[in-house]
Amino acid sequence: MYAERHISPYRTINTMKNILLLLALLVVGSVLLYWSSMLEGTWRVFVSSVGALFTVSGVLGGAWQFQGRRAFKEEILETTRVARDVISSGLVGVGTSYLHDLNWRDLLGKVKHLDLLLAYGDTWRRSNIHELRKLGRKKGRKICIFLPDVADAQTVETLSWRFGMTQDELIGKIEEARQDYELIRVSKGATVRIYYYPGDRYFSLYRLDQRAVLTLYSHGRDRRPVPTLIFDVGGSLYKFVEEELEDILRRSRAV
């Protein structure tokens, strides 16, 4: 049940005062304009100018009172709501080029726990392979990679159709990615775990400690810029990512 809208008595009185003031300006302005028609010379010009000033002030004030102020208030409220939503989501950036919107070299150089959810991610992996190898040599770091399960027929069929390639081509790319990530694993280095996850892919995900990067997929077969969301821990988007990774891990098998 909706609550009744409460109108403040002070607001009502203040509005009435403004209306009376505007009416007074219009009346005084009209009287001065009428009076100026009976005068001559300099006085006529002066009184006419003052009357016009009062009249225009009354008209503009009325427009602001009844339309402009409400529109301005609605715009401020809308901006405030958007800002509040952005803050609660933890969003810190939006782009269309995940390869260039972030300084991956700096992020990978500092990260302690890296989670990757990818279809195969050729371009990103090749662009950052040197940083990934450096990360793999750092003891105490953790790297988890989730790739499509090549043994699950439905997963392979779905993704091969999505990316417009044959099933053999898709499996080849996934296996190539797995081999590259396995080479990151070195003795006395980072803990590297690779998993096969059965199911479709709705986005690619890169979680680097308290920051996450999520890139969406296009419905088209051609390559095009896709939205990239960057958000930090503490917001609703990061919580969504945490829950997704927990569910994905439960349904995955280690390679």
Side-chain angles (χ1 to χ4, degrees):
M1 183 176 182
Y2 293 100
E4 295 184 2
R5 184 180 180 185
H6 177 69
I7 300 177
S8 169
Y10 173 79
R11 179 182 174 185
T12 302
I13 294 173
N14 191 51
T15 301
M16 291 302 299
K17 286 181 179 179
N18 289 336
I19 292 174
L20 291 175
L21 176 60
L22 295 174
L23 289 175
L25 287 173
L26 288 172
V27 170
V28 173
S30 299
V31 170
L32 290 174
L33 288 174
Y34 177 76
W35 184 30
S36 69
S37 64
M38 302 178 184
L39 302 175
E40 295 182 356
T42 304
W43 280 107
R44 179 173 183 173
V45 175
F46 175 76
V47 174
S48 175
S49 299
V50 174
L53 177 62
F54 274 53
T55 303
V56 171
S57 298
V59 172
L60 293 179
W64 169 255
Q65 175 69 29
F66 295 108
Q67 183 62 34
R69 188 174 67 174
R70 289 180 175 84
F72 179 72
K73 179 181 177 181
E74 290 175 359
E75 183 175 346
I76 291 297
L77 289 175
E78 182 64 26
T79 302
T80 302
R81 282 193 292 268
V82 172
R84 185 170 60 247
D85 291 343
V86 170
I87 292 172
S88 65
S89 71
L91 189 68
V92 296
V94 178
T96 55
S97 177
Y98 70 98
L99 292 174
H100 307 293
D101 289 337
L102 292 97
N103 186 343
W104 289 106
R105 181 177 182 179
D106 183 62
L107 289 171
L108 292 172
K110 297 177 180 178
V111 68
K112 295 180 179 179
H113 188 167
L114 173 66
D115 290 313
L116 302 174
L117 173 66
L118 306 165
Y120 46 86
D122 278 352
T123 306
W124 183 85
R125 186 179 74 255
R126 291 169 181 170
S127 298
N128 298 285
I129 191 63
H130 296 297
E131 283 70 28
L132 289 168
R133 289 172 179 169
K134 290 178 183 178
L135 178 61
R137 293 193 291 268
K138 295 180 180 179
K139 187 176 181 179
R141 303 298 198 263
K142 295 181 180 180
I143 306 172
C144 291
I145 304 104
F146 297 92
L147 297 170
D149 192 341
V150 293
D152 185 77
Q154 186 174 356
T155 298
V156 174
E157 180 181 358
T158 299
L159 293 180
S160 65
W161 179 87
R162 176 192 289 273
F163 298 124
M165 61 180 66
T166 66
Q167 295 186 20
D168 288 340
E169 287 174 335
L170 175 68
I171 292 174
K173 285 185 173 295
I174 295 172
E175 289 298 286
E176 182 183 357
R178 177 186 60 78
Q179 292 169 9
D180 283 348
Y181 286 120
E182 284 184 342
L183 291 175
I184 293 173
R185 186 188 290 122
V186 297
S187 177
K188 298 182 180 180
T191 301
V192 180
R193 294 189 175 94
I194 304 173
Y195 297 91
Y196 279 146
Y197 168 66
D200 199 356
R201 294 297 185 277
Y202 306 104
F203 51 79
S204 292
L205 175 64
Y206 313 80
R207 184 172 70 166
L208 307 99
D209 295 332
Q210 297 185 332
R211 172 156 294 185
V213 181
L214 187 148
T215 62
L216 303 181
Y217 287 144
S218 168
H219 287 82
R221 297 293 183 86
D222 57 325
R223 290 185 175 273
R224 66 185 68 172
V226 294
T228 299
L229 306 179
I230 307 163
F231 43 93
D232 286 344
V233 66
S236 57
L237 289 174
Y238 194 93
K239 181 175 177 58
F240 165 77
V241 163
E242 286 184 314
E243 294 173 349
E244 284 288 286
L245 287 175
E246 289 174 2
D247 183 65
I248 288 170
L249 180 59
R250 284 194 297 268
R251 298 167 56 191
S252 298
R253 63 183 179 92
V255 176

